[in-house]
Amino acid sequence: MSIKSHASNFFFPIIDNWPEYFDDPHEGLGTTYERFLLHEFFAWLDKNFPIERVLEAPSFGMTGASGINSLWWAKKGRQVTVVDNHETRLNKARALWQGLSLKAQFCLTGQFEALPFKDQTFDLSWNFASLWFVGNLAQFAKELDRLTRRVIFICVPNRFGLGYQLRLHWPGSTRPDLNFEAVKTSNIRQEFEKHGWQLRRKGYFDIPPWPDFPLKKEVLFDKLKIGFLLKWLSKNGENAPQAERMTILDYFSGKRPDLKEEVFRFRFLEGAPLPIRWLWAHHQYLIFSRD
């Protein structure tokens, strides 16, 4: 993928190119890095809440292969349900799960605000970079309130970040038809607090050394003429990560058990002071509980 090939939708190219990642699951360093950061949030949630049933809805939004963000929970033996509104994409996600011999339920819906599950079915409901596909945030919050017993975990793009703003105003780029009001953290907090949910944690995360551009980061580093930095930080020396297949699927299959250690060589900014996180973080998160 290149800036030129997706210039009309540089802001959020996954809308157009998501099938590519099912044909070739190489997602690049940036997406793999994000997924491992999510695992750390999952571990915290698992430690602090009794979680057996997990709902990911909507599941489409993250760059890379869709519908696989909840693999961690299935690996821990939890019951996972993945929801999407695109039948082909959902079926392809199901095939990836089956290839890893991990189980989940897959639900096709035409409306995220009205899901076909009984009240209080799930202990955890969550999503990543997907709320702007929800047409009515108030109704969606009401639905998650109905379905969720213990905790809600929401991740949205950091609208204040430099990378986000550059993408939003990129010359020649079009602004996708998304519900931008639904990813404002103030709106999210207001809607869930209406239903008695209390904000337990919030913050900025996903703060790697590269900007928030929707390119495979190996490609981005090469374009910026700093590919040497990846080589320098890679344990493989001259076998730079940009030459390798990079996908979380290899971690879960056991092909690359050291993948987390490889990508986390780039996490040295995650503990940066707030001004840096505010300007450079790719995402924000909110965790609500009924406490």
Side-chain angles (χ1 to χ4, degrees), residues 152-156 184-189 192 199-203 205 284-288:
I152 294 172
F153 175 40
I154 304 291
C155 302
V156 294
K184 291 183 177 179
T185 54
S186 58
N187 292 345
I188 296 168
R189 181 173 182 175
F192 282 102
L199 185 64
R200 180 78 176 266
R201 287 181 63 185
K202 67 174 182 176
F205 76 107
Q284 293 179 265
Y285 73 92
L286 301 167
I287 296 176
F288 300 93

Side-chain angles (χ1 to χ4, degrees), residues 34 128-129 155-158 203-206 212 281-285:
E34 289 174 341
F128 184 93
C155 302
V156 294
N158 175 19
Y204 298 88
F205 76 107
D206 189 10
D212 187 13
H282 297 188
H283 293 93
Q284 293 179 265
Y285 73 92

Side-chain angles (χ1 to χ4, degrees), residues 127-148:
N127 53 63
F128 184 93
S130 62
L131 269 187
W132 43 24
F133 293 108
V134 172
N136 188 314
L137 177 61
Q139 285 299 115
F140 182 70
K142 182 179 180 181
E143 184 69 344
L144 285 197
D145 172 62
R146 180 182 73 82
L147 295 174
T148 312

Side-chain angles (χ1 to χ4, degrees), residues 235-273:
K235 70 176 183 179
N236 296 317
E238 291 303 315
N239 296 323
Q242 59 262 47
E244 299 178 2
R245 164 181 154 120
M246 187 75 72
T247 169
I248 200 75
L249 299 175
D250 288 347
Y251 173 78
F252 282 104
S253 70
K255 291 180 180 179
R256 293 196 62 186
D258 61 339
L259 188 56
K260 177 180 178 179
E261 288 72 23
E262 177 65 25
V263 300
F264 270 5
R265 292 170 179 266
F266 299 91
R267 66 166 298 165
F268 47 84
L269 290 176
E270 291 297 328

Side-chain angles (χ1 to χ4, degrees), residues 27-151:
E27 300 177 329
L29 176 62
T31 298
T32 307
Y33 177 85
E34 289 174 341
R35 295 197 199 274
F36 278 116
L37 288 176
L38 284 176
H39 293 177
E40 295 194 337
F41 282 106
F42 295 161
W44 185 89
L45 291 166
D46 194 35
K47 179 180 178 181
N48 287 276
F49 299 92
I51 296 172
E52 293 297 330
R53 299 177 63 91
V54 175
L55 171 68
E56 184 182 355
S59 61
F60 174 67
M62 189 174 192
T63 299
S66 180
I68 62 172
N69 277 333
S70 292
L71 287 170
W72 187 95
W73 291 104
K75 193 77 171 179
K76 296 290 183 178
R78 311 305 160 76
Q79 299 179 56
V80 173
T81 299
V82 178
V83 179
D84 199 346
N85 61 354
H86 193 289
E87 185 173 9
T88 299
R89 189 167 59 222
L90 193 66
N91 287 336
K92 288 180 178 292
R94 180 188 287 112
L96 291 182
W97 279 73
Q98 291 173 344
L100 296 169
S101 299
L102 290 172
K103 295 181 179 180
Q105 298 295 318
F106 295 87
C107 175
L108 180 66
T109 185
Q111 188 176 8
F112 294 113
E113 296 89 340
L115 298 174
F117 308 115
K118 295 180 180 180
D119 293 359
Q120 304 291 285
T121 295
F122 304 99
D123 299 305
L124 165 68
S125 294
W126 84 282
N127 53 63
F128 184 93
S130 62
L131 269 187
W132 43 24
F133 293 108
V134 172
N136 188 314
L137 177 61
Q139 285 299 115
F140 182 70
K142 182 179 180 181
E143 184 69 344
L144 285 197
D145 172 62
R146 180 182 73 82
L147 295 174
T148 312
R149 297 175 60 195
R150 305 189 187 283
V151 59

